[in-house]
Structure formats: structure tokens, C-alpha cells
Amino acid sequence: MASDDQIQEGGCACRAVRFTARGAPLRVGLCHCLTCRKAHASAFNAFAIYSANQVEIRGESASWASSPGYDRHFCARCGSGVFGRDGEEIELSLGSFDQPGLFEPEYELWIGRREPWLAPLDVRQYETNRS
């Protein structure tokens, strides 16, 4: 697990967009909502949420608004989804970090859309978004 003094690096598949995350994330979760599933072409999205002032992004990203106030950023060259921004919070996909095994989810969102073959984690479960 990352601690308050750790620095973690990551980015897209072609390395054109890179990020540095400083300190521990505010929270870590899994989302099974349809938008996350589609945006990540995966059964779920595993992510770490940081304050915007903890994250430095380098390189050119393109973005789209997936919901009011939330922009998903991806590499303009390789198309890899790298981060999302919601006001003063930045969501970094766990698969975008260079080092695996940094974080364990603390909760799951939109559990009604979880694949039936995927066992629930022993963490807080939310039917939709966190309350």
C-alpha cells in the first residue's frame, strides 16, 4: 500500500501521457457501472482517487465528458484511458500505474452490474454511487 510519503508513476501504454502521484490516495475502489465498463473495455474499473494537487500529468491527452462535471482523459496517440477528473479530484486507473499491487479496493460501486462470475470483495458494497 502507498503511504503519505510515496511517489508513484504511471501512464498510458505508449508512454506519451505520464503521471506522478504523491502520497496516499483519498480512496480506492472498483466500479461496475456501464460507463466504466464501456470506457475501460473491461468487466469493471479499478481506481485510486487523489486530490488534484497530489497529481502531476505530463503529455497530451484528449478527453470526453462521461457525466456532468466528470471528464475522462485518454492518450491522444495510443488511446489508453489514463485518468478522470471531477472538480478537485483525479481518478487514476490502477492499471495505469507502473507498479502493480499498490492498492486494495476499499469499496465496490454499482454491484448490480457486477459480472455473475466475479465474486464480491469483502469490502463495503454500494448499489449505485457512494452515498
Side-chain angles (χ1 to χ4, degrees):
M1 298 296 274
S3 68
D4 289 338
D5 60 349
Q6 284 190 321
I7 296 174
Q8 301 300 331
E9 300 282 335
C12 68
C14 75
R15 301 185 61 83
V17 177
R18 299 288 297 158
F19 65 78
T20 301
R22 290 177 168 71
L26 302 174
R27 59 190 180 277
V28 179
L30 292 181
C31 185
H32 303 278
C33 81
L34 187 58
T35 304
C36 281
R37 292 167 57 99
K38 297 286 187 179
H40 293 274
S42 182
F44 58 86
N45 173 32
F47 57 86
I49 303 289
Y50 286 86
S51 289
N53 64 4
Q54 291 179 272
V55 180
E56 175 192 353
I57 308 288
R58 299 174 304 283
E60 183 180 346
S61 68
S63 67
W64 63 284
S66 66
S67 58
Y70 186 81
D71 293 326
R72 293 178 185 269
H73 291 256
F74 56 95
C75 174
R77 184 164 56 180
C78 72
S80 299
V82 181
F83 69 98
R85 183 160 191 148
D86 185 8
E88 291 303 310
E89 291 186 339
I90 297 212
E91 176 184 295
L92 298 173
S93 298
L94 296 190
S96 295
F97 284 89
D98 292 343
Q99 182 179 340
L102 293 172
F103 310 108
E104 291 185 22
E106 302 159 4
Y107 60 92
E108 288 187 81
L109 301 171
W110 292 91
I111 60 171
R113 291 197 175 269
R114 183 190 300 116
E115 288 287 341
W117 48 261
L118 184 63
L121 298 177
D122 187 21
V123 296
R124 180 130 174 122
Q125 304 287 305
Y126 293 93
E127 287 296 323
T128 58
N129 286 326
R130 290 181 322 121
S131 42

